[in-house]
Amino acid sequence: MNAKTHLLIVDDEEANRDMLARRLERHGYGVDVAASALEAMAALAARAFDVVLLDVQMPGMSGIEMLREVRSRFTQAQLPVIMVTARHESVDVVEALDLGANDYITKPVDLPVALARIRTQVSRRQAERALADSEERYALAVRGSRDGLWDWRIDVDRFFFSARWNEILGYPPEEATGQIDRWLDRVHPDDRERVRAEIDDQLAGRSSNFESEHRVRHRAGQYRWVLVRGAVVRDATDCPVRMAGSVTDITEGKVADALTGLPNRVLFMDRLGRLIDYRRRLGGMDFALLFLDLDHFKNINDTLGHQAGDQLLIHVARRLEQGLRTVDSVARIAGAERSASPVGDYTFARMGGDEFAVLLSGVRGVADAVSVAERIATLLADPIELEGQQVFTSTSIGIALSTTSSGPAADMLRDADTALYQAKAAGQARYAVFDHAMRQQVVERVQFETELRQAMDRREFVVHYQPIVSLSEHTVTSIEALVRWRHPARGLIGAREFVPIAEDTGLIVPLGYWVFDEVCRQVAAWSLVLPSLPRLAVAVNVSARQLAQADLPDRLAAIAARHGVPTRMLEIEMTESAMIANLDQVQAVVLRLKAVGFRLSIDDFGTGYSSFTYLQRLPVDRLKIDRSLLASEQESSPTALGILGTVVGLARHLNLEVVAEGVETPEQLERLQRIACGFGQGYVFLEPVAPDPMSRLLLSGGTSPSPAPYAEADLPA
Ligand code: C2E
Ligand code: MG
Ligand code: MG
C-alpha cells in the first residue's frame, strides 16, 4: 500500500463521509474530506489528489455538475474520479461515465469493493504517469541525440526508421516505415551476410546484445559507416516479437585519420575496392596505387620524441595534400607531350604510422604514376621546421599499376608494398614500380634479413683492416676497421651489402658495439707485440643510429678502458649525412666523444651536403673525401679537378687532415700528391685484409717509412 496515495471524499452527509474516511485511513490512505462541491473544488486547487470519491447527490452544485467542472481541468488520467451513488441512481451513473467518471461504487459502500476500485484507479494512474514520463524522457533523448532509432515488429515485419536514421542516409523523414529489407538491401554487399548473421544470432538468443558496425549505402551512392545497437523483446513463449534500438553514424571515426584528418586506410581500401570493381565490370580506366613510407621516421621519433614525430606527419600530410592538388596539372603537362588525356581523380590517405598512399585514377601508364612519385619527392625536398629545428625527410614509394596487379584491393596494396620494400632496399628516397619478379627478390631479401639477425648470435661477423697512408711519407698512419659477414653459404660479404640493412633493422647498434669491442681487443693484442703501435690510430665507423644514442660516447670509452686501450688511439668515423640529419642532437654526442678523448673524422665527405659551415661547430680532426669525388676526376673535366682541389684547400684552411678514399691507380695517387692531399686509402696501397695479414704488415714495420704501394701478395707470409 502506497502511504502517499491521497484521496478526496466529497459527500454532504457527515456520517457517511467520516466513516468512509476513517476506514480508508485505516487502510493506509491519506484522506481529505469536503462537505460540498465548492469545498471540494477549493481542496483540489490547494493540493494534488490521486483519486476523488464523489457523491452524486448533493445540495447546491451536484456531483454531476462538479464532475463536469473537474473534467474541464483534469483528464481521466490526471485525476481519476469514482462516483458514489445510491443503487437506484443508474441514470446518473451512465451520465457520469459519459462525462468522464472513471468508475463508480454504490451506497452503502462495501469497503472491499471500494478498496479494489481505488487500487485499480491508483495503479492505472501510476502506470500512465510512468509511461508519460518515459515517453517524455524518450522524446527528449531522441531530440538531443545524434542517433537514429529503429523499431522492428518481427511478427508483421514492419520496420520503423526514425527521421534521424533517414537523415543519416539522405532520405526524407517521411519514409518512416518499411520492411527490414529496406535496411539490409542497403547494407554493403561485403557486410550484408555478417549483419544477417548477427541479427539471427540475436533472435536465436545466441548473443547477449545486438551491436553491429557496417556500411550502409547513402542515397547519393556512397557508403556510410553505422553502428547499430538493439535489443529483442520476446513474448510469453520466448518467441522474439520485436527488436528495437539505435543507429549511430560513425563514418567520421571510421574513415578519417585522427591525426592528419586525411582519409584513413578503411576509406582508402574501400575506394580502391570500388575502383577495381568498376574496372572489372566496365574495363578501361587504368589506375595506379602509390604506397609511401617516410625514410628514417623512427629516428625522428627516437631522437625528438613522439610529439615531434606526430608534428612531422602532420606537416608531411599538409604539404603533400596541397602539392597533390596540382598533380592534375603536372600530369597533364607531362601528358600533353604524349597527347593523351590527363590523370583523373586521386585519393590521398594515411594508412597508419608513417605510411601514406595515393590512388590515381585515369592514368595512361607507368609514366603518369612516376611523374606523381617524382612530384612527391620534390614536395618533401625542403626541410621541415620542427620545434625550432630544421628536419629533412624523404619518402620511399612503391607503385602498383592496375594493369600489372590483379585480384582484390588487398593484393594490389601488397604489390605496392613489395615495390616499396624494394625502393627502401635500394637506398631510400626512391620509387620502384612493382613487377612480378620483384616478389621473389623481396622474399630473398627478407630471408637475408633474417639470416643477418641470426649472424650476430652465430658469431659470423669478422673485422678486416685497411691501412691509411701518409702521401708525403709513405707510411701507414692509421687503419680503418671494416666489418665483414662470413656467410655460411655465400662466403665473405662486404659491408656495403649488409650495413644498410643492419641500419634499417636497427641491428647496427648491437653490431656496432660488437665491432668496437672486437677492434679494442685486437688493438690490445697488437700493443703487446708492437712497441711502435701507440703512434697509430685505428678508425671505427659508427652509423646515424648509433650517434642518436646519448650514451654512445661513455659506453665506447668504457669498452676501450676495459681492454686497456687509450681513447686517443681510436678514431670514430661518422658520415656526413648522419650528422646533418639532426645536427643539434648529434652535436652533443660528438662533443662528448671528443671530451672522452676519441679522434673524430667525417666519412664520405662530398656525397651529401658538403657543407663546411657545420664542420666549424664540431671538433673534427679529419675529413675523408668520398671516392666518388676522386673517381669523377677520371673524366678529367676541369671542374671536377677544381672541386677536389678546392675541398682539400678548404680543409687545410680549417686545420683538418684530409684523407682521399678509394685511391686505385698510381695516376690518382700522383694527382693527390700534386694538390697536397695529406693521406690516401685504397686498393693502390692495400685492400681491406683480415687481422692476420694486417698483423704481418704492422710487424714488418709497415708503420715506418716504406715504399708504397702494398699489395696483400707482397706481405710477409
Ligand atoms: P667507408 O667507411 O667509406 O669505407 C670504405 C669503403 O670503401 C669500404 O667498403 C672499403 O672496402 C672500400 N674501399 C677501400 N678502398 C677502395 C678502393 O680503392 N676502391 C673501391 N672501389 N673501394 C674501396 P666496405 O667495407 O664495403 O664498407 C662500406 C661502408 O660500410 C663503409 O664505407 C662504412 O660506411 C660502412 N661500414 C663498414 N664497416 C662498418 C662498421 O663496422 N660499422 C658501421 N656503422 N659501418 C661500417
Ligand atoms: Mg669509413
Ligand atoms: Mg667512406
Side-chain angles (χ1 to χ4, degrees):
M1 171 60 59
N2 183 352
K4 273 179 236 151
T5 303
H6 240 87
L7 309 176
L8 177 62
I9 298 173
V10 191
D11 198 323
D12 60 310
E13 282 174 52
E14 192 181 355
N16 283 347
R17 194 172 68 216
D18 291 350
M19 190 173 66
L20 184 59
R22 277 197 306 278
R23 294 164 82 191
L24 288 172
E25 273 172 348
R26 275 207 300 281
H27 280 87
Y29 289 101
V31 182
D32 278 20
V33 293
S36 69
L38 240 61
E39 235 180 80
M41 291 308 291
L44 286 177
R47 61 155 304 161
F49 290 92
D50 296 292
V51 178
V52 178
L53 293 169
L54 178 56
D55 187 18
V56 175
Q57 294 289 327
M58 288 188 296
M61 189 192 268
S62 74
I64 297 291
E65 283 164 332
M66 177 177 155
L67 176 64
R68 207 187 305 270
E69 192 60 34
V70 167
R71 279 291 164 262
S72 70
R73 296 178 202 182
F74 305 94
T75 65
Q76 277 185 312
Q78 285 167 336
L79 185 60
V81 177
I82 297 174
M83 304 305 287
V84 183
T85 78
R87 255 180 231 290
H88 56 274
E89 292 166 341
S90 59
V91 180
D92 295 337
V93 169
V94 172
E95 191 184 0
L97 291 176
D98 280 347
L99 283 173
N102 295 59
D103 205 347
Y104 71 97
I105 49 178
T106 52
K107 285 187 198 178
V109 173
D110 179 350
L111 193 68
V113 171
L115 287 172
R117 303 245 156 114
I118 291 168
R119 263 200 308 272
T120 303
Q121 291 308 320
V122 168
S123 65
R124 179 181 300 167
R125 182 162 179 272
Q126 276 166 350
E128 274 166 13
R129 169 90 34 98
L131 184 64
D133 279 357
S134 86
E135 270 174 0
E136 195 175 40
R137 264 199 304 274
Y138 175 77
L140 281 173
V142 170
R143 230 180 305 148
S145 133
R146 300 287 300 143
D147 295 350
L149 295 165
W150 55 279
D151 185 353
W152 179 33
R153 288 278 308 276
I154 299 168
D155 42 359
V156 292
D157 189 12
R158 193 160 163 281
F159 203 95
F160 164 80
F161 304 86
S162 77
R164 173 71 186 137
W165 173 304
N166 281 324
E167 186 194 327
I168 290 172
L169 297 179
Y171 291 91
E174 309 83 71
E175 292 191 19
T177 54
Q179 289 169 330
I180 189 165
D181 282 345
R182 215 179 86 201
W183 166 23
L184 291 176
D185 287 348
R186 288 176 189 159
V187 172
H188 193 284
D190 292 351
D191 299 344
R192 198 174 295 148
E193 208 138 305
R194 173 173 56 86
V195 175
R196 271 189 211 281
E198 285 164 348
I199 294 174
D200 287 347
D201 281 351
Q202 181 67 18
L203 296 180
R206 286 189 293 265
S207 57
S208 57
N209 50 356
F210 180 75
E211 229 176 76
S212 171
E213 279 188 15
H214 55 263
R215 288 161 287 181
V216 184
R217 196 174 57 251
H218 189 273
R219 195 184 194 180
Q222 79 273 29
Y223 281 89
R224 307 288 300 177
W225 276 93
V226 291
L227 167 64
V228 180
R229 279 193 261 238
V232 170
V233 180
R234 293 168 194 281
D235 66 10
T237 66
D238 216 27
C239 189
V241 288
R242 188 172 170 185
M243 200 174 159
S246 65
V247 56
T248 316
D249 187 348
I250 54 168
T251 311
E252 203 76 342
K254 272 284 188 193
V255 305
D257 168 55
L259 184 67
T260 60
L262 290 175
N264 66 9
R265 189 186 197 97
V266 170
L267 180 62
F268 187 85
M269 294 308 281
D270 186 58
R271 295 227 171 124
L272 177 58
R274 269 191 287 148
L275 216 50
I276 290 173
D277 251 17
Y278 185 85
R279 184 168 178 272
R280 197 177 44 222
R281 279 185 289 116
L282 302 173
M285 251 266 294
D286 291 334
F287 55 90
L289 167 55
L290 279 69
F291 197 26
L292 284 64
D293 182 292
L294 297 188
D295 300 326
H296 307 301
F297 179 71
K298 196 177 171 302
N299 274 358
I300 303 272
N301 256 348
D302 289 350
T303 57
L304 297 180
H306 285 273
Q307 227 163 351
D310 283 354
Q311 284 306 311
L312 179 71
L313 292 174
I314 293 169
H315 277 293
V316 167
R318 285 294 90 77
R319 201 179 276 186
L320 294 188
E321 196 177 25
Q322 279 159 20
L324 281 169
R325 262 183 227 141
T326 57
V327 150
D328 240 351
S329 48
V330 172
R332 203 172 296 130
I333 293 163
E337 291 149 20
R338 302 193 308 279
S339 69
S341 63
V343 169
D345 253 355
Y346 73 91
T347 300
F348 175 47
R350 176 163 177 237
M351 303 297 274
D354 59 342
E355 292 170 355
F356 296 88
V358 185
L359 183 59
L360 292 173
S361 65
V363 298
R364 291 138 305 174
V366 70
D368 276 345
V370 163
S371 80
V372 173
E374 280 165 356
R375 167 121 189 109
I376 288 170
T378 34
L379 286 169
L380 293 182
D382 291 334
I384 285 174
E385 174 119 356
L386 266 196
E387 299 182 342
Q389 293 193 40
Q390 303 260 302
V391 175
F392 286 90
T393 186
S394 61
T395 171
S396 302
I397 304 176
I399 301 173
L401 295 164
S402 57
T403 42
T404 319
S405 300
S406 52
D411 284 8
M412 187 162 180
L413 186 68
R414 190 201 54 208
D415 290 347
D417 185 52
T418 300
L420 171 63
Y421 189 88
Q422 208 61 344
K424 285 254 182 213
Q428 322 251 2
R430 288 156 204 257
Y431 62 82
V433 182
F434 174 80
D435 64 53
H436 291 284
M438 210 175 249
R439 207 169 282 150
Q440 184 52 31
Q441 291 163 18
V442 165
V443 168
E444 280 164 16
R445 165 143 166 158
V446 170
Q447 168 79 13
F448 190 72
E449 270 183 29
T450 312
E451 290 173 354
L452 184 59
R453 243 178 253 119
Q454 295 165 343
M456 194 71 181
D457 295 332
R458 298 182 178 168
R459 303 176 174 278
E460 289 170 358
F461 294 111
V462 291
V463 179
H464 280 194
Y465 297 90
Q466 186 179 32
I468 294 169
V469 176
S470 157
L471 297 186
S472 53
E473 293 165 24
H474 297 278
T475 52
V476 175
T477 55
S478 55
I479 307 170
E480 180 173 7
L482 295 159
V483 69
R484 302 284 179 264
W485 177 11
R486 211 181 278 287
H487 190 280
R490 297 212 258 158
L492 204 64
I493 300 178
R496 218 178 298 281
E497 261 191 80
F498 67 87
V499 162
I501 298 172
E503 273 166 357
D504 282 357
T505 58
L507 184 75
I508 194 67
V509 174
L511 177 60
Y513 283 120
W514 179 85
V515 168
F516 195 80
D517 188 81
E518 172 58 20
V519 168
C520 288
R521 194 195 58 73
Q522 183 65 68
V523 171
W526 280 333
S527 298
L528 292 178
V529 290
L530 280 168
S532 58
L533 196 71
R535 281 189 281 124
L536 207 85
V538 180
V540 184
N541 294 281
V542 300
S543 83
R545 285 274 188 124
Q546 294 173 275
L547 283 174
Q549 308 209 310
D551 63 350
L552 178 82
D554 293 285
R555 285 187 64 179
L556 294 184
I559 292 171
R562 200 169 62 234
H563 290 282
V565 177
T567 48
R568 72 184 141 72
M569 284 183 70
L570 295 161
E571 184 167 312
I572 305 296
E573 293 194 8
M574 310 161 284
T575 62
E576 213 188 353
S577 51
M579 321 277 294
I580 291 280
N582 185 9
L583 191 53
D584 289 321
Q585 220 250 336
V586 164
Q587 191 176 23
V589 173
V590 171
L591 290 175
R592 182 75 193 144
L593 281 169
K594 189 80 225 172
V596 297
F598 291 116
R599 285 170 54 85
L600 302 179
S601 65
I602 302 290
D603 206 349
D604 300 350
F605 190 82
T607 51
Y609 307 87
S610 310
S611 154
F612 277 93
T613 50
Y614 75 92
L615 286 179
Q616 291 168 313
R617 292 174 58 184
L618 301 170
V620 173
D621 302 291
R622 318 186 118 168
L623 216 54
K624 298 187 75 178
I625 299 174
D626 193 75
R627 73 185 172 90
S628 59
L629 237 65
L630 188 61
S632 71
E633 294 245 301
Q634 234 104 44
E635 300 149 20
S636 67
S637 81
T639 44
L641 258 174
I643 290 172
L644 191 65
T646 308
V647 170
V648 171
L650 275 169
R652 204 181 304 115
H653 185 71
L654 287 172
N655 266 328
L656 298 173
E657 295 176 4
V658 184
V659 182
E661 295 187 284
V663 192
E664 293 180 342
T665 66
E667 293 76 44
Q668 287 175 330
L669 185 56
E670 192 203 323
R671 189 165 309 135
L672 288 167
Q673 281 164 330
R674 255 206 329 269
I675 57 171
C677 177
F679 303 87
Q681 173 183 4
Y683 298 162
V684 74
F685 305 112
L686 184 64
E687 67 212 43
V689 293
D692 269 358
M694 184 48 75
S695 303
R696 275 180 267 135
L697 173 69
L698 295 175
L699 280 167
S700 74
T703 54
S704 60
S706 72
Y710 313 99
E712 195 177 354
D714 300 338
L715 293 177

